[in-house]
Amino acid sequence: DSEHGKDATTVYQWDVPILHADPATFERLGDGWSRDADDFYSGSKRLEVCDINTFEPLSMWRAVDSQCYYVKSKRLENVDRESLEILGGVFAKDRTHVYWLQHIVDGADPTTFEVKEDRMQSLARDATQCFIGPRFVTCDELTPRGHEYCRC
């Protein structure tokens, strides 16, 4: 693959060494994720994985294991993994918060939160308000189709 290369001692991504990666066991998993016998990587960054045996990339941006939730190379702290639900449009929610990538969506109600489409900047809503990405939007900011979805 043109993105990765290796020699006897080092794995490279775009000619940049991936520190600690083992060339003998390194494999590309797709969507920017890779692994070797001991670690997982997002791009060229080694992850601190909670449970290496259950780690699973979900998309270009997100991964989970039995204990933790990851957005690219960041492990999100304080996510309730037991109630975590992966949504479209890079949203996720647990019993207490809604997340857009690694950001908490302030004011969003996780019990009623839903996403319109599975794309990066999708419109989303809860019972009383609408969001684009991590921010609240008013009806004045929306198109006519957005007005309908957001109950304006």
Side-chain angles (χ1 to χ4, degrees):
D1 100 56
S2 62
E3 184 178 338
H4 292 91
K6 58 186 173 180
D7 59 28
T9 61
T10 307
V11 177
Y12 301 90
Q13 181 184 32
W14 308 117
D15 297 326
V16 176
I18 300 177
L19 300 179
H20 310 290
D22 173 24
T25 62
F26 185 85
E27 63 178 306
R28 187 169 176 232
L29 302 175
D31 285 334
W33 301 98
S34 54
R35 73 166 299 160
D36 64 18
D38 299 316
D39 292 299
F40 282 90
Y41 303 86
S42 174
S44 62
K45 295 185 178 170
R46 183 172 60 150
L47 301 175
E48 293 190 24
V49 174
C50 295
D51 182 357
I52 197 164
N53 295 318
T54 62
F55 184 85
E56 176 185 4
L58 301 173
S59 71
M60 181 184 301
W61 299 284
R62 304 181 289 182
V64 294
D65 64 30
S66 65
Q67 299 170 36
C68 296
Y69 174 54
Y70 309 84
V71 176
K72 289 308 273 173
S73 61
K74 297 180 189 330
R75 182 175 67 205
L76 271 61
E77 302 297 328
N78 302 318
V79 172
D80 179 18
R81 182 61 186 91
E82 188 174 299
S83 67
L84 182 71
E85 182 181 347
I86 304 300
L87 306 171
V90 298
F91 285 100
K93 66 182 181 177
D94 64 18
R95 71 180 95 226
T96 56
H97 296 291
V98 173
Y99 306 91
W100 183 82
L101 293 173
Q102 70 270 23
H103 308 283
I104 291 176
V105 181
D106 289 329
D109 173 21
T111 59
T112 61
F113 192 85
E114 61 185 30
V115 180
K116 184 174 186 202
E117 299 171 331
D118 189 14
R119 54 188 191 94
M120 186 70 144
Q121 290 291 330
S122 180
L123 196 56
R125 69 183 182 191
D126 65 15
T128 61
Q129 53 197 344
C130 262
F131 303 86
I132 294 178
R135 74 179 188 87
F136 165 78
V137 291
T138 65
C139 290
D140 293 341
E141 298 175 77
L142 299 171
T143 67
R145 284 182 45 203
H147 280 208
E148 183 180 333
Y149 180 76
C150 290
R151 305 176 203 104
C152 293

